[in-house]
Amino acid sequence: MKRTAFITGITGQDGSYLAELLLDRGYDVHGMVRRSSVERFDRIEHLRGRVTLHQGDLLDQRSLGDALRATQPDEIYNLAAMSFVAVSWVQPTLTAEFSGVGVTRILEAVRETCPDARFYQASSSEMFGKVREVPQTELTPFYPRSPYGVAKAYGHFITVNYRESYGLHATSGILFNHESPRRGLEFVTRKITWHAAAIKLGLVDKLRLGNLDAERDWGYAKDYVEAMWMMLQRDQPDDFVIATGVAHSVRECVEIAFDQAGLAVNDYVETDSSLIRPADVEQLIGDCTKARELLGWEPRTNFEALIRLMVDADLALLTQ
Ligand code: NDP
Ligand code: GDR
């Protein structure tokens, strides 16, 4: 029988790739979108005829219940959030509402309308923050370093708690950074690849960055949405770290991107102290042994290949 999936955050980077994956696997795909005076569904424009969209917002309990009641999903992927760490200091309360309490709202809606559905929560390596051990696993204690990380830690634990309190099939994927040509322009990899392409084409002349020494375990979003799906195929709900196990610095990202564009870094890149965060996460490295062993999941795309493909995509985008 055809299975039904419901995705919050379907207009985001991950939501759009996950919708494609689920359609390919024969699912009836539903997504939640929020009202805006200008409709911006660029990432799912090519899927518009194949997915059903429901109006809703993580701030609005009624809309969550109504959308789930109408959909009666087998699987729910809660990807919606205020996902940009830097803005979480500017809008700390709203971030807590979206990315923290919003998880409780949707879990309550699940309990009320479709308690047998399988639920996925988009947790984050930002919860490890000022890391307690290297590499980080499912058992590493959290020490979030931003209002976003704190909100995600709440979302993670409320998911665990509803699994243990009410027997929901609720799973939390602790995903490390993952990028793609659909990544928002404000995130550092895409900011770098877009600028490398734009400088190459003579459209802009500088790239200003903050902390060049920060290191992240960066993977490819397409590989990571597959892990989300794999987690919900298990009869046992659980928590999984998804990562590549290798960290690179922002500086290395710049070097690869500019090399791909055929440019010399020193001529174009400047540091800008206003882009330094009040508290940054210096290094994240994940250990995805549990996902390898229990899900059979493997990252397929390495960092260098990822950054090069993003530069090529930005060159193509800007020459359209
Ligand atoms: P994006 O920022 O690309 O997408 C976020 C989505 O959430 C958008 O569809 C956005 O809708 C929606 N959204 C935001 N606020 C609300 C709200 N109040 N109600 C309903 N929808 C809302 O994020 P990603 O795709 O990169 O990430 C997906 C999830 O995974 C997020 O929860 C993120 O925090 C988490 N995560 C991401 C990682 C990464 O490296 N990408 C790593 C670990 C976790 P709109 O289009 O209207 O703005
Ligand atoms: P992050 O991603 O905060 O890890 O959160 P981001 O790409 O924003 O920053 C990564 C690191 O790069 C440094 N940096 C800059 N960052 C941005 N955005 N812009 C700059 O100009 C810049 N210069 C240096 C940052 O200080 C940081 O150390 C992402 C999001 O997708 C979250 O939603 C997700 O949960 C985590 O990844 C895992």
Side-chain angles (χ1 to χ4, degrees), residues 127-133 136-144:
M127 300 186 304
F128 297 123
K130 191 169 173 182
V131 299
R132 306 285 88 188
E133 62 179 349
Q136 295 86 51
T137 75
E138 293 78 6
L139 300 176
T140 303
F142 299 152
Y143 193 141

Side-chain angles (χ1 to χ4, degrees), residues 8-235:
T8 72
I10 193 168
T11 56
Q13 170 189 258
D14 290 5
S16 65
Y17 284 120
L18 181 66
E20 281 171 11
L21 178 142
L22 293 170
L23 287 168
D24 283 350
R25 294 192 179 175
Y27 281 73
D28 181 12
V29 176
H30 294 246
M32 190 178 83
V33 292
R34 49 183 179 163
R35 138 102 193 138
S36 151
S37 66
V38 181
E39 207 175 74
R40 298 243 14 182
F41 295 162
D42 307 12
R43 296 187 180 103
I44 54 164
E45 211 52 66
H46 60 298
L47 306 175
R48 278 300 281 278
R50 300 170 66 204
V51 296
T52 308
L53 299 179
H54 301 259
Q55 291 285 337
D57 197 297
L58 285 178
L59 299 183
D60 188 81
Q61 189 72 45
R62 175 159 199 108
S63 64
L64 299 175
D66 284 351
L68 288 176
R69 204 172 290 110
T71 306
Q72 285 301 314
D74 300 295
E75 296 172 17
I76 299 157
Y77 296 87
N78 184 37
L79 309 186
M82 200 305 286
S83 74
F84 188 35
V85 173
V87 162
S88 74
W89 279 279
V90 183
Q91 300 183 338
T93 321
L94 192 61
T95 302
E97 285 288 346
F98 283 4
S99 311
V101 184
V103 186
T104 311
R105 289 197 193 92
I106 190 156
L107 283 165
E108 277 297 318
V110 173
R111 278 184 69 207
E112 185 95 14
T113 63
C114 50
D116 296 328
R118 296 183 174 192
F119 178 84
Y120 173 86
Q121 168 57 18
S123 289
S124 164
S125 54
E126 271 289 306
M127 300 186 304
F128 297 123
K130 191 169 173 182
V131 299
R132 306 285 88 188
E133 62 179 349
V134 182
Q136 295 86 51
T137 75
E138 293 78 6
L139 300 176
T140 303
F142 299 152
Y143 193 141
R145 291 270 282 172
S146 60
Y148 168 85
V150 174
K152 281 286 176 182
Y154 173 95
H156 172 81
F157 280 125
I158 202 72
T159 302
V160 173
N161 182 258
Y162 271 50
R163 175 167 82 217
E164 294 176 355
S165 303
Y166 303 116
L168 294 186
H169 191 296
T171 282
S172 169
I174 305 174
L175 272 53
F176 282 61
N177 300 52
H178 46 278
E179 321 294 309
S180 74
R182 294 187 199 164
R183 186 58 143 153
L185 287 166
E186 66 277 33
F187 298 94
V188 78
T189 56
R190 182 77 197 288
K191 182 174 175 183
I192 292 168
T193 63
W194 187 92
H195 276 82
I199 292 169
K200 177 73 181 173
L201 298 170
L203 303 174
V204 295
D205 56 5
K206 286 279 178 235
L207 166 58
R208 291 182 183 82
L209 292 169
N211 181 5
L212 295 178
D213 297 320
E215 293 184 18
R216 291 290 185 278
D217 178 335
W218 276 294
Y220 186 23
K222 264 192 168 180
D223 297 347
Y224 284 41
V225 298
E226 192 172 13
M228 297 176 187
W229 176 78
M230 286 172 150
M231 285 180 220
L232 292 204
Q233 305 320 300
R234 292 188 81 233
D235 288 336

